[in-house]
């Protein structure tokens, strides 16, 4: 298995974490963060989310007031509709959170999640911060019920893991990367719900890593960031290689995109000084006049970030946007519903968060929203 022993370097390169604020950052970027209904569960971080239709499902995670207490509660978020008659162009309602049936696996954090059709899936993760898990569970949104499915560990040469990530498409999903507290992984596993099986795919060509971030856009997956002990395509422990994955390609499924750090002799990446990170959140927002864009915010890289970046799928270039307005944090969840991007929860040290915010990339920052 393609993996790297964590003992070869200082795990996660622990540093002194601090929280950046809008007041401490000089920025000219555009975009506005608007408060939405607060997450009603325990303020938490390192939870997970999946989207089905126009609803986001958020749950599991760590309660920072009790670090040994992982969570199994689940909630769904439904956004209020846009109000075109409002002066700002967005609605004044906050949307609603509703509790659904608890996740039936062992309480956990740092799991991965995806959805296929009307079914959401959560698996892997850790129940104590050290021991990796391999079990997976399916959630039927119509029945509001959970069912155990095949464990990723059932597949030959697969390992339990946490801080993995995933892509999901029309009929299959892929779980990849992660760590078991001994190794970092670069393997890729395809899940087929039609026969409830896991199949090993070719390894990703980039650095093995944990805490990476992904988008799915236009039928392809995008993988970036994460912590890695690899010296190739990394600065310290931060991976700067950026990849696109085509699930339908028979050969060369992976395409390397431009690095997300200042590694090119050209000038386009001279400002790429704080994109690389781990445990960030991502979402995609369609933009009629300027093309669809991906967004990356929060996370950490020695310090906890609130920097927000916009990725142009057409040009393969990044632009810095208005920093996240709430407290800097890691382990939040991000999701897109109704073509709108949201961020919720998160953790910074012993503090967990329940705020939810929506990002409007075309608006001017308004500190009172």
């Amino acid at each position: 298995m393609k993996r790297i022993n964590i003992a070869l370097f200082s795990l996660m390169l622990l540093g002194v974490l601090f929280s950046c604020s809008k007041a401490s950052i000089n920025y000219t970027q555009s975009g506005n963060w608007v408060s939405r209904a607060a997450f009603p569960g325990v303020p938490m971080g390192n939870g997970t989310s999946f989207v089905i239709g126009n609803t986001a499902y958020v749950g599991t995670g760590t309660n920072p007031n009790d670090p040994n207490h992982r969570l199994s509660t689940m909630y769904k978020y439904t956004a209020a509709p846009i109000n075109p008659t409002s002066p700002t162009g967005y609605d004044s309602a906050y949307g609603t959170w509703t509790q659904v049936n608890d996740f039936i696996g062992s309480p956990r954090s740092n799991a991965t999640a995806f959805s296929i059709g009307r079914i959401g899936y959560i698996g892997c993760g850790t129940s104590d911060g050290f021991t990796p898990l391999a079990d997976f569970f399916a959630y039927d949104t119509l029945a509001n019920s959970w069912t155990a499915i095949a464990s990723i560990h059932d597949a030959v040469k697969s390992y339990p893991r946490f801080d993995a990530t995933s892509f999901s498409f029309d009929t299959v999903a892929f779980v990849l990367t992660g760590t078991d507290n001994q190794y970092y992984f670069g393997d890729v596993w395809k899940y087929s719900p039609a026969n409830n099986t896991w199949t090993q795919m070719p390894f990703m060509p980039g650095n093995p890593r944990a805490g990476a971030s992904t988008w799915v856009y236009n039928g392809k997956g995008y993988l970036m960031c994460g912590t890695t002990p690899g010296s190739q395509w990394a600065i310290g422990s931060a991976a700067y290689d950026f990849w696109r994955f085509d699930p339908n390609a028979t050969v060369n499924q992976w395409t390397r995109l431009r690095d997300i750090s200042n590694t090119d002799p050209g000038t386009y990446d001279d400002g790429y000084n704080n994109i690389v990170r781990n445990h960030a959140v991502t979402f995609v927002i369609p933009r009629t006049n300027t093309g669809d864009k991906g967004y990356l915010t929060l996370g950490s890289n020695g310090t906890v970030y609130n920097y927000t970046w916009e990725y142009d799928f057409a040009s393969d270039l990044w632009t810095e946007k208005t920093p996240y307005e709430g407290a800097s944090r890691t382990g939040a969840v991000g999701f897109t519903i109704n073509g709108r991007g949201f961020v919720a929860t998160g953790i910074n040290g012993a503090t967990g968060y329940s705020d939810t915010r929506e990002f409007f990339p075309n608006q001017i920052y308004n500190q009172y929203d």
Side-chain angles (χ1 to χ4, degrees), residues 6 9 39 44 89-90 93 136 142 149 170 177 190 199 230 307:
I6 296 178
F9 84 126
F39 178 73
M44 63 89 169
Y90 53 82
F136 264 83
L142 294 183
I149 63 169
D170 290 340
T177 69
K190 181 175 73 174
T199 304
Y307 303 116

Side-chain angles (χ1 to χ4, degrees), residues 160-173:
R161 65 195 66 203
F162 58 90
D163 282 343
T165 191
S166 59
F167 305 126
S168 61
F169 302 95
D170 290 340
T171 59
V172 296

